[in-house]
Amino acid sequence: MENLNYKEILVKKPWFELLPDGYLKHGSFKNLVVSDKSEISMPKDKMSMLVKTQADFLRAYYPSAHRIFNEKEYPDIWKMTPAYDPEKPENGSKWYLQPITRTAFAFQQVIATKHILHVTGNDVQFELIDGGESVTKGDELKKRLAKFKRGWLTSSMETVMYDAVRSYMITADTAVVGYFSDGKFGARALSFLNGDTLYPHIDSITGEMDLFARQYRDYGEDGKTKCQWVEVWDNKYLYRFKDETVAEDRSVTNRILDKIKGAFGISGYNYVDKKEHGFPFVPVAYARNNDGPCWAAVQRNIEDYEEAFSYLCENNKAYAFPIFYVKGDGDDVVIQGDNMTGAVKSIAMNDKDNDAGFLNGTDASNAFATQLDKSYNLIYELSFTVKPPELKSGDLPGVALKLLYSPAIEAASNDAEKLHPFLNTVVRIAKYGIGVEQDMMASMVELPINAWIEPYVHQNKTETITNLATAVQNKFISKQTASERCPDFPMPDEFDRILREQKEEQEQDLLMDIRRADNELQNNIAEEEAVVAINNGQPGQDVNTGGGSGRKPGRPNKSGKEWDENRNYPGRNNWNPYNRR
């Protein structure tokens, strides 16, 4: 691998546009009965195809590079100067160039944006394929799934998937490569949009990636190429090669030598280094759309629309503005003004038959307007792109929204199925990377996950939540499934949070019940002691009888005076009243 053979590795199949050459040109047969059809063999039909590159896709994506601005495809108008001027014969008749009006529209960007968002508008959905043989095993799988979802989010995999799908829709291929940096797992989307040319090498039998190469360039401050890099991944190492022969500031002699070396198969790439990438397989997921970008089916329609609109603009330049005319002969009509391009100040006419006025500009014909209108609508219809309808009411039911956006949903569902093998490979890379990062590689790799892309549909979220709540109440689905399918709100471990909150509420209720029972028990004990003390004449602990210690229960002593056995207290003597009685 250190001696890179770029003619074997840097090879990529181009995209093709099928041409109509040879359509139904395979001969005919007369007086042929049905039974004789089996005697006719299938003829060899070679197709004529127009080669297209990813640079062509970018030219179509950006309006400034559209075909309408190519002066070879749509040349400007050459005109000759008016009649010979006798006063200045040296001027004579000369040719001059009159630029035509050219208009381009960003239909490709509108179509690509809508297709991208209908595929990536919702996060990637995950669920467990196997619930586990037991409750304990099922709970463990749920915990691992929650860890995987958190790792998926912290690694910004949703952003990586968006970049990958964007590249897939615009440049017709994409790749996601996993890596480790300081023990942390990460991933990155590679795209021709960012200057990467991707070279996948896939086993024709198993469909597994055997080798993957990426080619890109380094540029200096002046915008010139400094060198070219090639990075190659296999099932263990990442190799890096460098080629400085492509630098734009090299001398002419060196460039000639480079061409000679290339003709004899001598590569200009030099081996730089290699290192282990940390995965037991090629950590690259690759996807390609052989049909081209998402607007490929309507590319010719867009070019025809831009051509027709440019002709309309040329027509308006010639006929849309009023034309001043004068009817007369020679000196019979005198026009006074600043110049012929300025406003006319006055007109003098000597003959009653002379006339002057304006010819009103002509509007575009109905056929012209119909052509533009039909072309505009067909561009959206044939690309499965829906123009937002005008609604005069409030929220629409979910079925009505799906019917309005049915073409976009169908295209997104088709793209989701095409990208499903690519997504499975990305999940495989993420499971291994997250497992290594969290020191649970074996259990994370074995986690049975089903991942799928759910197309984004404009929906009434209130209706969706109501339907989920109704399904849970009628026991059609579980609370966990409803929590996972609920739009916008749930977190990766939402159902675990719900269970945790319920347990906390139960614990709080149990503590309150225990405290309430303890208080009731203490009150009952105090009441029983008071009852027993009253019935037996014994002092109670919490009963205030007013008799004091060692005395029988009676009225409480509110005065605070101490009485003796003769009912006397200091300062009072009851003997005199007693003796009198």
Side-chain angles (χ1 to χ4, degrees):
M1 182 61 70
E2 284 79 0
N3 298 322
L4 177 66
N5 188 345
Y6 72 99
K7 289 190 176 181
E8 293 182 0
I9 294 180
L10 304 183
V11 177
K12 186 175 185 177
K13 183 177 70 173
W15 281 260
F16 300 97
E17 181 178 326
L18 196 61
L19 298 177
D21 300 348
Y23 180 67
L24 296 180
K25 302 295 183 182
H26 316 299
S28 60
F29 297 88
K30 296 182 179 180
N31 301 325
L32 184 67
V33 296
V34 177
S35 59
D36 295 335
K37 290 182 179 179
S38 59
E39 300 178 0
I40 302 174
S41 60
M42 176 66 70
K44 293 183 179 179
D45 187 7
K46 295 183 178 180
M47 295 181 293
S48 298
M49 293 179 289
L50 180 66
V51 176
K52 303 184 74 172
T53 64
Q54 290 179 291
D56 292 328
F57 302 154
L58 287 185
R59 293 186 185 100
Y61 183 72
Y62 294 104
S64 60
H66 281 192
R67 185 182 180 187
I68 192 67
F69 291 112
N70 190 338
E71 296 182 0
K72 294 182 179 180
E73 296 287 340
Y74 301 98
D76 291 325
I77 302 174
W78 283 92
K79 289 187 177 181
M80 185 178 289
T81 54
Y84 171 72
D85 187 0
E87 297 181 358
K88 297 180 180 180
E90 67 276 5
N91 291 341
S93 298
K94 295 182 180 180
W95 289 95
Y96 67 94
L97 184 65
Q98 177 182 338
I100 63 173
T101 303
R102 306 171 188 270
T103 55
F105 302 93
F107 282 111
Q108 291 87 345
Q109 295 189 12
V110 174
I111 295 171
T113 300
K114 289 182 176 293
H115 281 238
I116 293 168
L117 293 183
H118 277 290
V119 174
T120 61
N122 293 321
D123 291 345
V124 178
Q125 305 295 309
F126 300 102
E127 66 180 3
L128 292 172
I129 300 177
D130 185 9
E133 299 177 356
S134 61
V135 177
T136 305
K137 182 66 174 178
D139 293 340
E140 177 64 24
L141 291 177
K142 293 176 184 177
K143 291 180 180 179
R144 275 191 269 169
L145 178 61
K147 290 182 179 180
F148 172 79
K149 289 182 177 180
R150 282 194 293 268
W152 178 273
L153 295 178
T154 55
S155 302
S156 301
M157 292 303 297
E158 290 297 334
T159 303
V160 173
M161 284 297 299
Y162 170 80
D163 293 336
V165 173
R166 184 171 183 267
S167 173
Y168 178 83
M169 294 294 181
I170 297 175
T171 61
D173 79 337
T174 186
V176 171
V177 57
Y179 62 86
F180 290 101
S181 178
D182 298 330
K184 298 292 184 180
F185 165 73
R188 179 185 175 188
L190 305 179
S191 170
F192 189 80
L193 287 169
N194 302 324
D196 301 319
T197 305
L198 312 179
Y199 300 95
H201 296 269
I202 302 174
D203 189 279
S204 60
I205 304 299
T206 63
E208 296 290 334
M209 185 80 69
D210 289 336
L211 201 70
F212 183 83
R214 167 204 180 199
Q215 185 184 57
Y216 63 96
R217 295 190 175 192
D218 281 343
Y219 296 92
E221 295 180 355
D222 55 356
K224 295 183 179 181
T225 301
K226 295 175 57 179
C227 63
Q228 189 165 252
W229 292 86
V230 170
E231 297 176 347
V232 182
W233 286 264
D234 62 8
N235 57 3
K236 188 175 182 180
Y237 294 104
L238 165 61
Y239 304 86
R240 301 178 75 242
F241 302 88
K242 186 177 181 181
D243 181 12
E244 296 182 351
T245 62
V246 298
E248 297 182 19
D249 55 354
R250 290 173 60 83
S251 64
V252 177
T253 303
N254 290 334
R255 293 182 183 179
I256 294 175
L257 292 176
D258 295 338
K259 292 182 179 180
I260 296 174
K261 291 180 180 180
F264 286 95
I266 303 175
S267 173
Y269 287 99
N270 298 320
Y271 171 77
V272 178
D273 62 3
K274 76 173 182 178
K275 62 180 180 179
E276 295 187 5
H277 49 62
F279 293 83
F281 51 87
V282 182
V284 178
Y286 178 78
R288 173 187 171 110
N289 188 359
N290 290 320
D291 296 330
C294 58
W295 64 82
V298 295
Q299 176 61 29
R300 293 297 178 92
N301 300 76
I302 296 174
E303 293 176 355
D304 293 341
Y305 183 87
E306 292 176 344
E307 180 183 1
F309 200 91
S310 298
Y311 288 157
L312 174 63
C313 294
E314 282 293 311
N315 181 79
N316 288 338
K317 284 199 308 183
Y319 303 108
F321 301 101
I323 301 174
F324 179 73
Y325 71 91
V326 177
K327 182 180 178 182
D329 184 17
D331 297 333
D332 293 339
V333 178
V334 179
I335 302 176
Q336 294 182 358
D338 295 338
N339 50 53
M340 290 304 297
T341 59
V344 177
K345 301 299 183 182
S346 65
I347 301 175
M349 298 180 183
N350 299 327
D351 193 342
K352 63 178 182 180
D353 295 330
N354 294 342
D355 190 15
F358 287 94
L359 296 176
N360 293 327
T362 58
D363 295 331
S365 64
N366 293 331
F368 216 138
T370 303
Q371 177 188 2
L372 292 175
D373 185 62
K374 290 295 183 182
S375 298
Y376 182 83
N377 292 329
L378 284 174
I379 289 172
Y380 282 94
E381 182 177 350
L382 298 179
S383 62
F384 291 87
T385 306
V386 179
K387 293 182 293 184
E390 296 183 4
L391 301 178
K392 298 181 180 180
S393 60
D395 292 340
L396 291 178
V399 176
L401 286 172
K402 289 182 178 181
L403 290 176
L404 288 175
Y405 287 90
S406 177
I409 298 171
E410 293 167 359
S413 300
N414 184 51
D415 292 331
E417 291 298 324
K418 286 183 178 180
L419 291 170
H420 191 71
F422 168 76
L423 176 61
N424 287 339
T425 307
V426 174
V427 172
R428 179 190 179 191
I429 297 172
K431 285 199 300 184
Y432 188 90
I434 295 172
V436 172
E437 179 182 335
Q438 299 185 2
D439 197 17
M440 50 182 303
M441 183 266 294
S443 58
M444 187 63 72
V445 170
E446 295 177 355
L447 183 63
I449 295 178
N450 176 35
W452 75 95
I453 295 175
E454 183 177 355
Y456 174 75
V457 183
H458 299 83
Q459 58 183 344
N460 188 339
K461 296 180 181 179
T462 303
E463 180 184 4
T464 303
I465 296 175
T466 302
N467 293 338
L468 289 174
T470 304
V472 171
Q473 292 175 358
N474 294 326
K475 299 181 180 180
F476 296 154
I477 62 175
S478 64
K479 293 182 179 180
Q480 181 178 357
T481 302
S483 176
E484 293 174 352
R485 301 295 176 86
C486 183
D488 293 342
F489 304 113
M491 298 296 291
D493 57 346
E494 188 67 30
F495 192 70
D496 292 338
R497 295 186 178 189
I498 295 174
L499 295 178
R500 195 181 307 117
E501 290 178 356
Q502 291 180 350
K503 289 182 179 180
E504 291 177 356
E505 291 178 359
Q506 292 175 356
E507 291 176 357
Q508 293 295 330
D509 293 341
L510 183 59
L511 289 175
M512 292 299 297
D513 292 340
I514 293 175
R515 291 178 181 175
R516 190 181 299 109
D518 289 342
N519 293 333
E520 292 179 355
L521 179 61
Q522 294 297 329
N523 293 334
N524 292 335
I525 292 174
E527 290 178 359
E528 292 295 331
E529 289 179 350
V531 171
V532 171
I534 292 173
N535 293 336
N536 296 334
Q538 299 295 329
Q541 294 181 357
D542 197 25
V543 180
N544 190 0
T545 60
S549 178
R551 299 182 60 182
K552 294 182 180 181
R555 295 172 60 187
N557 183 3
K558 297 182 179 181
S559 63
K561 298 177 181 180
E562 296 182 1
W563 303 76
D564 59 13
E565 64 276 8
N566 296 319
R567 298 180 66 188
N568 294 321
Y569 59 88
R572 178 181 177 182
N573 191 333
N574 291 328
W575 287 112
N576 294 329
Y578 177 79
N579 292 330
R580 284 197 299 269
R581 287 197 302 272

